[in-house]
Amino acid sequence: MRFKITLQKEPKHTELVTCVGWTTPDELYSGADDHQVMKWSLLNGETSKVINLPPDCFPTDMHWFPKAAGGGGGKKGGAELFVLTSSDGKFHLINRLGRIEKSTEAHKGAVLSGRWSYDGTALVTAGEDGQVKIWSRSGMLRSTLTQNSIPVYGVCWGPDSDQVLFTNGRQLVIKPLQANIKPLMWKAHEGVILTVDWNAVNNLIISGAEDCRYKVWDTFGRLLYSSSVHEYPITSLSWTPDGEMFAVGSFNTLRLCDRCGWSYALEKPNTGSIFNLAWSSDGTQVGGACGNGQVIFGNVIERRTEWKNFEATVVGAKQITVRNVVNDTIEKLDFRDRIIKMALGYNHLVVTTSSQCYVYSTKNWNTPVIFELKEGSVTLIKQAEKHFLMVDGAGAYVFSYDGRMVCSPKHQGMKADILNPQTVAISNDTVAIRDKADEKVVYVFDAQTGKSMGDGKPIRHMVEVMEIALDQCGPASERKISIIDRNRDLFLTSVRIFGMERKSIKIASMIHMMAWNNETNMLAALTDGKIFVWYYPSAVYVDKDLLPKTVFEKDTSEFGKSPQLMGFIGSHLLLRRMDGSLMSTTIAPYPAILHGFVGDSRWEDAVRLCRFVKDDSLWACLAAMATYSKDLNTAEIAYAAIREVDKVQFISNIKDIPVKEARNAEMALLCGNHADAEALLLQAGLVFRAIMLNIQLYNWDRALELAVKHKTHVDTVLAFRQRHLSRMDTRETNKRFLQHQEGVEINWDKITAKMEVEYQKERERPAMTSAMGAGDSTSNAPPRPSRRERP
């Protein structure tokens, strides 16, 4: 990826340019020390003068009123008003025709920076006098946030417009608007900080200073990246709107960087210092204010994405080449308008321009599906096997690959313009979106209807959610979502829940990144120094003791310091080193083959595979899969292979139970799902089994409650309770049991006879003679109660 640089032969300004700002993706305004504001049209290449400023007014900064706050009309028209700060201590509100709507005395000395809040309700200015002030939309002073003894060179808003970031010499300060909250301050550079930017989408901060470095920070002041020392001070920085890249300006230097800090490309234009940078709303081009009177334009080209044997590259503003690395064929795709976004996956290439969306199949590059876009600023495309999710400033939309809009999921207060790959996930049947207002909440929607899934309640995590991802395979009823929270803990949660509380189980700590496999439900995650792959993460719902045995670990030292996990395709893990280079590593192909056998219920083939490979991790996966599918024979074989004697004995006892529903309940009990086991028994009318289940779990109150409710085996519950208390050498203190003991005779002979009658009824149930499945067959021995159930 790199910039395609455009410069006029002769500068249009006679003095150095200090600020630039985009109205539409094809129109930019610039202000310079020659007291002029000029308009640049990229459609026809014309430049025109908008306004002549007063002789004592030297512009220092420019910022257009945010389109999302009602200041623009999308493709038809841009923002109508911008703020221009100047050296005379004033800021000016100017419309696009050049008329000054209002001029306000703001600071003593020059006003060095001015920024509209994201919602357009407020304006912040920073001055040479060391003050940071908040103003109303109409230019009325609301408050003075800080008074420093040194100039404030840069200021910007936080993502929610409730806090402000500004420079203080070598320090950065995050100051909330609420007076009672303490500011966060940290030393960021060894020289005076000249420029800062804070992105609303990724919530990351970049800073540049006189120490000739640029740095990336999180909102806690933790350093995420520090560049090497440049030749000259860093004079300008700017994030792309989607937060995926940023541009860095210095003397005769323009650099394009990834959000992690490493550099895509370095250009050396002859422009002098680049004092200000601004990105167009679609994130495809950057404008720069240059010291020699020029305005530099950089168009982002050579964006590249890969999927299996296909590689798509943006080679021009309106052209993409697709290369098949297997046979080295190249397809050239031309577009009517400028390319905004593209995504390649699941055998489809999705490309959005400023007016249309193109959907190509990897089997046919000649006839794409084309449909019109309501808004030209698409910020995100995420793909699944059957459809893809597209996000623009107005909302999120699910489209099928034939161009039909499937649904538009939304929740109350959703801000579509700040959705990013970490906070949105999609699978064939589910869309998940993290709430920005309450970052502990994740909304899940049906991908076919756009309606809330399950019982309509969102997933509510304990702490703030940083990243979400959905598994891609298997039935919708078993869909899982993985969550990385602010503590960097990794959780697994079920998506479709009816009438029960969601089970969110922690499976790892200190996780930086994660990715689900595209073909099977394997999960990869990256932590300090290691990469983990869970061959069957759902094992945590079956048997927690099995999960550690299903994990593959690999050291990441060969990938350098702090690599990124980019994808998990087939048996290949794609990683990006800190210098930006891509590398891959592989895992064994056997877990994927095992997933395929189990998905087709080919249990005998699965057992043969495990015997061939002779790997405990594979046996552990098969044990969990068979237990989840209630295939008793396979589960018994797999548990025996990993020497889980107690589980083998438990399954052996379960196989002796004559009633299928009772066996399923015992399997649910093996998985730790006590409530599910009881519900299965009650639904099948096996009240006695449900009572005995709670007795075995020492859930005495529930056992008595069931016995009283169904008016059966009250004496059985009381008898087992008495035996338990006598063994513990304690007396009865439970009021309910004391109440029911009065007038109830405990006769073990009668109780044993009653229990035998219950077991005889089970043997005579019609369900006993029904087919039990290839892996669920029992021996020909007469059925009997399990050892745990015998008095």
Side-chain angles (χ1 to χ4, degrees), residues 130-177:
Q131 294 185 347
V132 176
K133 295 183 178 181
I134 305 296
W135 308 81
S136 70
R137 178 173 174 172
S138 59
M140 303 295 291
L141 180 64
R142 287 183 179 173
S143 63
T144 300
L145 274 189
T146 185
Q147 299 189 30
N148 300 312
S149 58
I150 52 179
V152 178
Y153 288 103
V155 66
C156 51
W157 290 91
D160 296 320
S161 300
D162 58 354
Q163 48 190 346
V164 169
L165 168 73
F166 59 89
T167 66
N168 181 23
R170 301 178 180 183
Q171 296 177 318
L172 288 176
V173 184
I174 297 178
K175 172 71 173 173
L177 298 189

Side-chain angles (χ1 to χ4, degrees), residues 146-360:
T146 185
Q147 299 189 30
N148 300 312
S149 58
I150 52 179
V152 178
Y153 288 103
V155 66
C156 51
W157 290 91
D160 296 320
S161 300
D162 58 354
Q163 48 190 346
V164 169
L165 168 73
F166 59 89
T167 66
N168 181 23
R170 301 178 180 183
Q171 296 177 318
L172 288 176
V173 184
I174 297 178
K175 172 71 173 173
L177 298 189
Q178 295 87 343
N180 58 342
I181 301 179
K182 290 182 63 177
L184 174 65
M185 181 175 0
W186 70 95
K187 183 180 178 181
H189 288 267
E190 297 301 322
V192 175
I193 302 171
L194 301 176
T195 177
V196 291
D197 198 11
W198 189 351
N199 187 262
V201 176
N202 62 31
N203 205 23
L204 295 178
I205 294 166
I206 48 177
S207 60
E210 288 184 344
D211 62 2
C212 306
R213 295 180 186 268
Y214 66 86
K215 298 183 179 183
V216 183
W217 311 86
D218 67 10
T219 53
F220 298 102
R222 291 183 297 213
L223 180 64
L224 303 180
Y225 182 86
S226 177
S227 74
S228 58
V229 178
H230 288 58
E231 295 181 63
Y232 301 98
I234 306 299
T235 51
S236 56
L237 292 165
S238 183
W239 282 108
T240 55
D242 62 6
E244 292 299 309
M245 300 179 293
F246 62 90
V248 180
S250 183
F251 180 79
N252 285 351
T253 302
L254 180 62
R255 188 183 289 274
L256 179 64
C257 301
D258 183 77
R259 56 175 287 174
C260 295
W262 52 267
S263 179
Y264 280 110
L266 174 65
E267 303 290 339
K268 287 288 189 177
N270 185 24
T271 58
S273 291
I274 300 177
F275 291 106
N276 187 239
L277 288 168
W279 285 92
S280 60
S281 60
D282 57 19
T284 61
Q285 48 197 347
V286 68
C290 306
N292 65 352
Q294 291 269 21
V295 172
I296 188 172
F297 292 94
N299 195 57
V300 180
I301 61 171
E302 295 186 10
R303 286 175 284 169
R304 192 180 70 174
T305 183
E306 299 173 354
W307 171 262
K308 293 186 176 179
N309 55 303
F310 292 99
E311 180 183 87
T313 306
V314 179
V315 294
K318 301 178 182 180
Q319 189 179 71
I320 291 176
T321 60
V322 181
R323 179 172 173 243
N324 187 337
V325 297
V326 173
N327 53 25
D328 206 31
T329 58
I330 295 177
E331 299 283 345
K332 291 186 178 180
L333 312 178
D334 293 302
F335 302 89
R336 186 184 68 186
D337 303 301
R338 189 174 60 255
I339 298 164
I340 307 298
K341 284 282 182 182
M342 71 169 177
L344 177 61
Y346 299 97
N347 297 317
H348 287 88
L349 172 67
V350 182
V351 181
T352 61
T353 68
S354 56
S355 61
Q356 294 175 315
C357 179
Y358 297 75
V359 182
Y360 293 87

Side-chain angles (χ1 to χ4, degrees), residues 630 659-669 673-687 689-690 693 765:
K630 302 179 178 61
V659 184
K660 180 180 179 181
E661 292 83 357
R663 289 195 302 274
N664 291 343
E666 291 291 327
M667 292 298 286
L669 194 62
N673 301 327
H674 305 154
D676 293 351
E678 183 189 292
L680 284 168
L681 293 171
L682 292 177
Q683 189 176 5
L686 300 172
V687 178
R689 283 269 180 190
L693 173 72
R765 282 172 66 103

Side-chain angles (χ1 to χ4, degrees), residues 378-434:
V378 173
T379 57
L380 177 66
I381 302 173
K382 292 207 79 169
Q383 292 178 269
E385 184 182 5
K386 295 181 179 178
H387 40 235
F388 63 95
L389 179 80
M390 191 165 64
V391 178
D392 60 22
Y397 310 93
V398 177
F399 288 91
S400 64
Y401 287 112
D402 58 8
R404 177 178 56 87
M405 193 175 89
V406 180
C407 68
S408 177
K410 62 180 65 177
H411 60 81
Q412 188 174 4
M414 186 174 84
K415 297 180 180 179
D417 56 329
I418 60 172
L419 297 179
N420 61 38
Q422 286 72 45
T423 58
V424 177
I426 184 171
S427 68
N428 285 338
D429 44 65
T430 308
V431 176
I433 300 175
R434 190 203 68 185

Side-chain angles (χ1 to χ4, degrees), residues 612-629:
F612 170 77
V613 178
K614 298 178 183 178
D615 183 6
D616 279 0
S617 63
L618 215 59
W619 279 115
C621 288
L622 182 60
M625 292 171 176
T627 302
Y628 184 82
S629 301

Side-chain angles (χ1 to χ4, degrees), residues 31 33 102 105 166 212 323 441 480 544 550 589 712 748:
D33 280 358
K102 186 169 185 177
E105 291 279 353
F166 59 89
C212 306
R323 179 172 173 243
V441 174
K480 301 291 189 299
K544 288 185 179 180
T550 66
T712 181
W748 274 106

Side-chain angles (χ1 to χ4, degrees), residues 688 713 715-720 745-756 791:
F688 169 68
H713 288 285
D715 56 343
T716 304
V717 178
L718 295 175
F720 277 98
E745 180 186 358
I746 305 299
N747 187 324
W748 274 106
D749 292 335
K750 290 183 178 179
I751 291 170
T752 303
K754 285 172 62 178
M755 293 175 63
E756 185 57 37

